[in-house]
Amino acid sequence: RMPMPRKLLNRILPARATLKAQWYLRPFNVLLHDPALWATHRKNVLKAFALGLFACFLPIPGQTILPALIALWIRVNLPVVVAASWIANPVTSGPLYYACYRFGSWLLDRPLGSFHVEFSVEWLWSELGRIWQPLFLGCLVLGVIVTGVSVFVLNWVWIRASRRQFSQRRAFRRWLRRQKQKRTGASP
């Protein structure tokens, strides 16, 4: 039996007091007091997930810092934003950005270039100058598509789990009433 998404998040995410006690977060305690940054209701979590997931598609340094700062500004769940932005990590970044580059090249109707890898700053800048347009276009378009579909699916799963939980609770309460009526001998 799958727990409610909210209960699952409350079990998985770190407690606010635990994070407040971390030495490296003490300078930010003034910013982290807002309860909206820790709220686990559906709309807050969906916005936070969308922000973090879209940010992981951006090929920029600071993929965790930028969405965290935006989360502080728009007041959405900070741990969810950070966790969603970690989807693009050192293991997944290469395939993710290569897929974005291929998709962007397809959108721009450009042939895929061949890569000759050299580990130098000059090579990096020359390759970035050649691929930046398809890469950024692919990242933006795929980021919007994947984020939209993921948020839709997460919203659907959340609502479905909530409705199932409410119907189970309603059925349990009906059962309790019937049991109570049986014991007292009252008619329905």
Side-chain angles (χ1 to χ4, degrees):
R1 180 178 133 179
M2 179 81 172
M4 292 274 292
R6 186 176 189 165
K7 290 178 184 176
L8 180 67
L9 279 176
N10 285 335
R11 200 175 332 147
I12 292 173
L13 294 177
R16 185 161 77 178
T18 305
L19 289 176
K20 225 176 176 180
Q22 301 298 324
W23 65 270
Y24 52 86
L25 292 176
R26 281 191 200 128
F28 304 105
N29 277 347
V30 173
L31 298 172
L32 300 178
H33 75 282
D34 188 1
L37 299 175
W38 310 97
T40 54
H41 56 82
R42 181 176 56 91
K43 289 182 180 180
N44 191 319
V45 171
L46 287 174
K47 290 176 194 173
F49 182 72
L51 174 61
L53 188 61
F54 183 74
C56 84
F57 275 90
L58 300 178
I60 57 172
Q63 283 180 321
T64 302
I65 295 170
L66 179 65
L69 291 174
I70 295 172
L72 290 171
W73 181 46
I74 63 173
R75 301 177 63 226
V76 295
N77 191 298
L78 188 60
V80 171
V81 168
V82 170
S85 70
W86 287 343
I87 292 173
N89 56 54
V91 175
T92 61
S93 293
L96 176 75
Y97 295 136
Y98 183 67
C100 290
Y101 167 69
R102 288 187 63 117
F103 187 67
S105 294
W106 177 76
L107 287 175
L108 293 172
D109 199 26
R110 288 189 182 175
L112 294 174
S114 61
F115 288 99
H116 173 69
V117 178
E118 290 179 29
F119 293 105
S120 67
V121 175
E122 296 82 22
W123 172 83
L124 180 65
W125 283 114
S126 69
E127 288 300 312
L128 278 178
R130 187 173 63 84
I131 68 167
W132 76 269
Q133 289 175 332
L135 177 65
F136 275 105
L137 179 64
C139 285
L140 289 176
V141 173
L142 276 180
V144 167
I145 291 170
V146 169
T147 300
V149 169
S150 299
V151 167
F152 176 78
V153 169
L154 180 60
N155 190 35
W156 179 77
V157 167
W158 193 301
I159 289 172
R160 186 177 164 113
S162 297
R163 286 181 180 164
R164 184 176 56 244
Q165 183 74 21
F166 290 140
S167 68
Q168 287 174 349
R169 187 181 309 153
R170 197 175 313 119
F172 180 70
R173 287 180 181 160
R174 275 192 299 247
W175 179 81
L176 279 179
R177 272 196 306 267
R178 282 192 300 251
Q179 294 303 316
K180 186 177 178 183
Q181 288 173 351
K182 284 181 182 178
R183 278 184 281 156
T184 59
S187 63

